[in-house]
Structures are given as C-alpha cells and as structure tokens.
Amino acid sequence: MDKHAFAVCAYKESPYLEPCIRSLLDQTVKTDIFVATSTPNAFIEGICEKYDIPLFVNEGESGITQDWNFAYSQTDARYITIAHQDDIYDCHYTEEMYRALAGVKRPIIFFTDYSELRDGETVHDNKLLRIKRLMLFPLRCRLFWASRFVRRRILSLGSPICCPSVTFVVDNCPDPVFQHGFRADEDWEAWERLSRRKGAFVYCRKVLTFHRIHEESETSKILGDNARHQEDFVMFRKFWPKGIARFLTKVYGTSEKSNEM
C-alpha cells in the first residue's frame, strides 16, 4: 500500500483544529498526520504535543498558496491530503481513497462529495451543494475519469471540487501544486492546470468531508472583501471569450454568496 499523509494546515488559534485532528486519528485505515503552520504558537504546539503529531514551521514567505505548498513538501508520501484546520473527515475517508485508486492506471487526484458545517449543524443539502453535485454528475461514471474534455467542460462553469476533500497523487502532479498570485481561486486554478494532464480525476460520490462555514474562515473573508470577483473572471477567461466570461463571473458570484455567514 502506497504511503498516505494528511498535512494539516494550522493558522493562529483555531478552536476547530483539535476536532479536525481527532477525525484524522479516527480513520479506519491509519495514515501519517502532521501539522504545518506559518503562525507558530503555544496553542498549536500544545495540540501537537497532546497527540504526538510532528509540527513543521514555514519560516519563509507565508500566504495561502505558500503555506499549502510548504505543507505539501514536508512528506515523502505518494498520496497527500492537505487538510484544512476547520474541517472534519469521515472515518472512512482514507479507506475509500485507497479503494477508489486501486486499479486506476494514472490517477492525478482523488476527491469526494462533501457537506457543510454551519452553527454546529451538518448541512447535507442546499442550493450550492446541489449545483456542485450536478456539475460533477458526469464523473459518477468511471469511464469519464480520464477524459480531459469532460473535466474541462465541468471546470469551465466553476469549481465544484471541494479543496480539502482532495488527495494528490504526487507522481502525477506538478511541484508546486498551487500557483502564487491567487487568493480566492487558488484551488480552481490548480484543478484547471491538472485537468490538462494525462490521467484520471477519481471522484467518490460519498460524503466523506465536512467543510465548515463560519465568519472567520478564509472563504468568508474573501467573499466579504470582494476579492473573488476578479479572480473568477481570470479563471473563466481560460475557457471562454471575454463577454461570456463576464456573464459567468456575475452568475458565479451570486451562487457563491451561500458561503457567507
């Protein structure tokens, strides 16, 4: 079995970090776990000591893409999941990941369906989740996993792939995975580049990731200062003429408002 690692990106003093780590420790198939941060403090150090988890400190340039790339580089595992400190993973995530990747000739990424965590409640269904599941419907068919045409048509309408649900197959991914210069759509930009590669986007339709929506999350902050609008336009221009890209940016921005608290 190829080695897998959860790289937990921790920032400041999040009350959700410990529940995230506990969900990783509860996996039915055990895996490596470590924490990476550019904001070292006694809180993060204390949790790592409590659970005997390695801690790596990014002493270079910090930022969302820089921190994710730093975490990605701290392991020699073939499979890497960049876990966001606010989120929770179903105990079968790693088990289902290994099962789905078995027999796939050239997997690039594995990812799952997800639900949201809002105000202490799990939300399995809302408008945004329904839209994203509809966009990913073609990938329920295994025959389309390796189709560059299908996945690029999906990504041309937005980014339905939940970033923390993604496991990267290092052998088939570029290094670094994430490009600097993006603050809101850094994951969508990565999927767009990966979609050009030969290989498979392996999709598991089971809900195995729970993405937390709260006022202090990076997603909420970005939506609040409207930073996403410009990056959405840049992404749509990778697929569409300028006029269509402007229209899709407007529509996409409206749908993403459900990520605000």
Side-chain angles (χ1 to χ4, degrees), residues 220-236:
S220 296
K221 291 177 180 178
I222 290 168
L223 289 170
D225 65 15
N226 203 34
R228 189 165 209 145
H229 183 85
Q230 184 176 358
E231 291 186 18
D232 287 348
F233 180 70
V234 170
M235 289 307 304
F236 281 121

PDB file of all heavy atoms in Angstrom, residues 220-236:
ATOM      1  N   SER A 220     -15.040  33.071   3.852  1.00  0.00           N
ATOM      2  CA  SER A 220     -15.954  34.151   4.218  1.00  0.00           C
ATOM      3  C   SER A 220     -15.280  35.511   4.124  1.00  0.00           C
ATOM      4  O   SER A 220     -15.872  36.493   3.671  1.00  0.00           O
ATOM      5  CB  SER A 220     -16.492  33.922   5.646  1.00  0.00           C
ATOM      6  OG  SER A 220     -17.273  32.740   5.709  1.00  0.00           O
ATOM      7  N   LYS A 221     -14.012  35.589   4.542  1.00  0.00           N
ATOM      8  CA  LYS A 221     -13.292  36.859   4.477  1.00  0.00           C
ATOM      9  C   LYS A 221     -13.101  37.311   3.038  1.00  0.00           C
ATOM     10  O   LYS A 221     -13.258  38.492   2.711  1.00  0.00           O
ATOM     11  CB  LYS A 221     -11.932  36.721   5.169  1.00  0.00           C
ATOM     12  CG  LYS A 221     -12.005  36.550   6.678  1.00  0.00           C
ATOM     13  CD  LYS A 221     -10.624  36.353   7.264  1.00  0.00           C
ATOM     14  CE  LYS A 221     -10.667  36.168   8.768  1.00  0.00           C
ATOM     15  NZ  LYS A 221      -9.319  35.920   9.338  1.00  0.00           N
ATOM     16  N   ILE A 222     -12.760  36.382   2.151  1.00  0.00           N
ATOM     17  CA  ILE A 222     -12.524  36.721   0.752  1.00  0.00           C
ATOM     18  C   ILE A 222     -13.808  37.203   0.096  1.00  0.00           C
ATOM     19  O   ILE A 222     -13.821  38.192  -0.636  1.00  0.00           O
ATOM     20  CB  ILE A 222     -11.963  35.492  -0.001  1.00  0.00           C
ATOM     21  CG1 ILE A 222     -10.529  35.208   0.466  1.00  0.00           C
ATOM     22  CG2 ILE A 222     -11.984  35.726  -1.507  1.00  0.00           C
ATOM     23  CD1 ILE A 222      -9.997  33.884   0.006  1.00  0.00           C
ATOM     24  N   LEU A 223     -14.919  36.507   0.375  1.00  0.00           N
ATOM     25  CA  LEU A 223     -16.194  36.931  -0.186  1.00  0.00           C
ATOM     26  C   LEU A 223     -16.589  38.299   0.356  1.00  0.00           C
ATOM     27  O   LEU A 223     -17.180  39.109  -0.342  1.00  0.00           O
ATOM     28  CB  LEU A 223     -17.281  35.903   0.140  1.00  0.00           C
ATOM     29  CG  LEU A 223     -17.165  34.572  -0.623  1.00  0.00           C
ATOM     30  CD1 LEU A 223     -18.142  33.559  -0.052  1.00  0.00           C
ATOM     31  CD2 LEU A 223     -17.436  34.772  -2.101  1.00  0.00           C
ATOM     32  N   GLY A 224     -16.235  38.545   1.612  1.00  0.00           N
ATOM     33  CA  GLY A 224     -16.590  39.813   2.238  1.00  0.00           C
ATOM     34  C   GLY A 224     -15.886  40.998   1.617  1.00  0.00           C
ATOM     35  O   GLY A 224     -16.455  42.090   1.531  1.00  0.00           O
ATOM     36  N   ASP A 225     -14.639  40.818   1.150  1.00  0.00           N
ATOM     37  CA  ASP A 225     -13.927  41.960   0.564  1.00  0.00           C
ATOM     38  C   ASP A 225     -13.947  41.934  -0.977  1.00  0.00           C
ATOM     39  O   ASP A 225     -13.237  42.676  -1.634  1.00  0.00           O
ATOM     40  CB  ASP A 225     -12.488  42.038   1.083  1.00  0.00           C
ATOM     41  CG  ASP A 225     -11.624  40.859   0.653  1.00  0.00           C
ATOM     42  OD1 ASP A 225     -12.020  40.126  -0.269  1.00  0.00           O
ATOM     43  OD2 ASP A 225     -10.557  40.673   1.249  1.00  0.00           O
ATOM     44  N   ASN A 226     -14.756  41.056  -1.547  1.00  0.00           N
ATOM     45  CA  ASN A 226     -14.998  41.006  -2.986  1.00  0.00           C
ATOM     46  C   ASN A 226     -13.751  40.651  -3.795  1.00  0.00           C
ATOM     47  O   ASN A 226     -13.679  40.908  -4.997  1.00  0.00           O
ATOM     48  CB  ASN A 226     -15.583  42.328  -3.493  1.00  0.00           C
ATOM     49  CG  ASN A 226     -16.349  42.160  -4.797  1.00  0.00           C
ATOM     50  OD1 ASN A 226     -16.974  41.123  -5.011  1.00  0.00           O
ATOM     51  ND2 ASN A 226     -16.308  43.171  -5.645  1.00  0.00           N
ATOM     52  N   ALA A 227     -12.752  40.038  -3.133  1.00  0.00           N
ATOM     53  CA  ALA A 227     -11.516  39.682  -3.841  1.00  0.00           C
ATOM     54  C   ALA A 227     -11.741  38.584  -4.867  1.00  0.00           C
ATOM     55  O   ALA A 227     -10.972  38.445  -5.822  1.00  0.00           O
ATOM     56  CB  ALA A 227     -10.461  39.234  -2.824  1.00  0.00           C
ATOM     57  N   ARG A 228     -12.806  37.822  -4.699  1.00  0.00           N
ATOM     58  CA  ARG A 228     -13.021  36.672  -5.561  1.00  0.00           C
ATOM     59  C   ARG A 228     -13.457  37.066  -6.974  1.00  0.00           C
ATOM     60  O   ARG A 228     -13.156  36.360  -7.944  1.00  0.00           O
ATOM     61  CB  ARG A 228     -14.081  35.760  -4.928  1.00  0.00           C
ATOM     62  CG  ARG A 228     -14.228  34.424  -5.616  1.00  0.00           C
ATOM     63  CD  ARG A 228     -14.984  33.425  -4.774  1.00  0.00           C
ATOM     64  NE  ARG A 228     -14.545  32.075  -5.098  1.00  0.00           N
ATOM     65  CZ  ARG A 228     -14.462  31.101  -4.220  1.00  0.00           C
ATOM     66  NH1 ARG A 228     -14.753  31.329  -2.955  1.00  0.00           N
ATOM     67  NH2 ARG A 228     -14.085  29.897  -4.573  1.00  0.00           N
ATOM     68  N   HIS A 229     -14.164  38.189  -7.099  1.00  0.00           N
ATOM     69  CA  HIS A 229     -14.750  38.576  -8.387  1.00  0.00           C
ATOM     70  C   HIS A 229     -13.700  38.642  -9.498  1.00  0.00           C
ATOM     71  O   HIS A 229     -13.885  38.078 -10.583  1.00  0.00           O
ATOM     72  CB  HIS A 229     -15.459  39.924  -8.236  1.00  0.00           C
ATOM     73  CG  HIS A 229     -16.158  40.380  -9.481  1.00  0.00           C
ATOM     74  ND1 HIS A 229     -17.440  39.965  -9.800  1.00  0.00           N
ATOM     75  CD2 HIS A 229     -15.760  41.203 -10.493  1.00  0.00           C
ATOM     76  CE1 HIS A 229     -17.791  40.517 -10.949  1.00  0.00           C
ATOM     77  NE2 HIS A 229     -16.801  41.271 -11.388  1.00  0.00           N
ATOM     78  N   GLN A 230     -12.605  39.322  -9.245  1.00  0.00           N
ATOM     79  CA  GLN A 230     -11.561  39.491 -10.253  1.00  0.00           C
ATOM     80  C   GLN A 230     -10.930  38.156 -10.623  1.00  0.00           C
ATOM     81  O   GLN A 230     -10.669  37.879 -11.797  1.00  0.00           O
ATOM     82  CB  GLN A 230     -10.491  40.460  -9.759  1.00  0.00           C
ATOM     83  CG  GLN A 230      -9.425  40.768 -10.795  1.00  0.00           C
ATOM     84  CD  GLN A 230      -8.425  41.816 -10.318  1.00  0.00           C
ATOM     85  OE1 GLN A 230      -8.549  42.339  -9.219  1.00  0.00           O
ATOM     86  NE2 GLN A 230      -7.445  42.115 -11.139  1.00  0.00           N
ATOM     87  N   GLU A 231     -10.677  37.304  -9.623  1.00  0.00           N
ATOM     88  CA  GLU A 231     -10.055  36.012  -9.900  1.00  0.00           C
ATOM     89  C   GLU A 231     -11.005  35.078 -10.645  1.00  0.00           C
ATOM     90  O   GLU A 231     -10.573  34.280 -11.480  1.00  0.00           O
ATOM     91  CB  GLU A 231      -9.574  35.375  -8.596  1.00  0.00           C
ATOM     92  CG  GLU A 231      -8.402  36.118  -7.993  1.00  0.00           C
ATOM     93  CD  GLU A 231      -7.819  35.429  -6.775  1.00  0.00           C
ATOM     94  OE1 GLU A 231      -8.078  34.218  -6.579  1.00  0.00           O
ATOM     95  OE2 GLU A 231      -7.104  36.093  -6.003  1.00  0.00           O
ATOM     96  N   ASP A 232     -12.312  35.160 -10.332  1.00  0.00           N
ATOM     97  CA  ASP A 232     -13.289  34.366 -11.075  1.00  0.00           C
ATOM     98  C   ASP A 232     -13.224  34.703 -12.565  1.00  0.00           C
ATOM     99  O   ASP A 232     -13.263  33.813 -13.422  1.00  0.00           O
ATOM    100  CB  ASP A 232     -14.708  34.637 -10.559  1.00  0.00           C
ATOM    101  CG  ASP A 232     -14.975  34.014  -9.201  1.00  0.00           C
ATOM    102  OD1 ASP A 232     -14.163  33.185  -8.755  1.00  0.00           O
ATOM    103  OD2 ASP A 232     -16.007  34.349  -8.596  1.00  0.00           O
ATOM    104  N   PHE A 233     -13.133  35.998 -12.869  1.00  0.00           N
ATOM    105  CA  PHE A 233     -13.065  36.425 -14.271  1.00  0.00           C
ATOM    106  C   PHE A 233     -11.818  35.865 -14.948  1.00  0.00           C
ATOM    107  O   PHE A 233     -11.878  35.378 -16.091  1.00  0.00           O
ATOM    108  CB  PHE A 233     -13.082  37.949 -14.365  1.00  0.00           C
ATOM    109  CG  PHE A 233     -13.007  38.471 -15.771  1.00  0.00           C
ATOM    110  CD1 PHE A 233     -14.076  38.323 -16.639  1.00  0.00           C
ATOM    111  CD2 PHE A 233     -11.852  39.097 -16.231  1.00  0.00           C
ATOM    112  CE1 PHE A 233     -14.007  38.793 -17.950  1.00  0.00           C
ATOM    113  CE2 PHE A 233     -11.772  39.566 -17.538  1.00  0.00           C
ATOM    114  CZ  PHE A 233     -12.848  39.410 -18.403  1.00  0.00           C
ATOM    115  N   VAL A 234     -10.682  35.918 -14.255  1.00  0.00           N
ATOM    116  CA  VAL A 234      -9.432  35.369 -14.809  1.00  0.00           C
ATOM    117  C   VAL A 234      -9.606  33.882 -15.121  1.00  0.00           C
ATOM    118  O   VAL A 234      -9.173  33.398 -16.180  1.00  0.00           O
ATOM    119  CB  VAL A 234      -8.267  35.565 -13.817  1.00  0.00           C
ATOM    120  CG1 VAL A 234      -7.027  34.794 -14.273  1.00  0.00           C
ATOM    121  CG2 VAL A 234      -7.938  37.042 -13.665  1.00  0.00           C
ATOM    122  N   MET A 235     -10.278  33.155 -14.220  1.00  0.00           N
ATOM    123  CA  MET A 235     -10.462  31.722 -14.432  1.00  0.00           C
ATOM    124  C   MET A 235     -11.414  31.439 -15.599  1.00  0.00           C
ATOM    125  O   MET A 235     -11.144  30.570 -16.437  1.00  0.00           O
ATOM    126  CB  MET A 235     -10.979  31.069 -13.151  1.00  0.00           C
ATOM    127  CG  MET A 235      -9.945  30.986 -12.037  1.00  0.00           C
ATOM    128  SD  MET A 235      -8.391  30.198 -12.562  1.00  0.00           S
ATOM    129  CE  MET A 235      -8.997  28.620 -13.167  1.00  0.00           C
ATOM    130  N   PHE A 236     -12.525  32.158 -15.660  1.00  0.00           N
ATOM    131  CA  PHE A 236     -13.460  31.917 -16.760  1.00  0.00           C
ATOM    132  C   PHE A 236     -12.841  32.257 -18.117  1.00  0.00           C
ATOM    133  O   PHE A 236     -13.186  31.641 -19.136  1.00  0.00           O
ATOM    134  CB  PHE A 236     -14.750  32.726 -16.548  1.00  0.00           C
ATOM    135  CG  PHE A 236     -15.705  32.103 -15.567  1.00  0.00           C
ATOM    136  CD1 PHE A 236     -16.103  32.794 -14.433  1.00  0.00           C
ATOM    137  CD2 PHE A 236     -16.193  30.814 -15.763  1.00  0.00           C
ATOM    138  CE1 PHE A 236     -16.984  32.215 -13.518  1.00  0.00           C
ATOM    139  CE2 PHE A 236     -17.075  30.227 -14.862  1.00  0.00           C
ATOM    140  CZ  PHE A 236     -17.470  30.928 -13.731  1.00  0.00           C
TER     141      PHE A 236
END
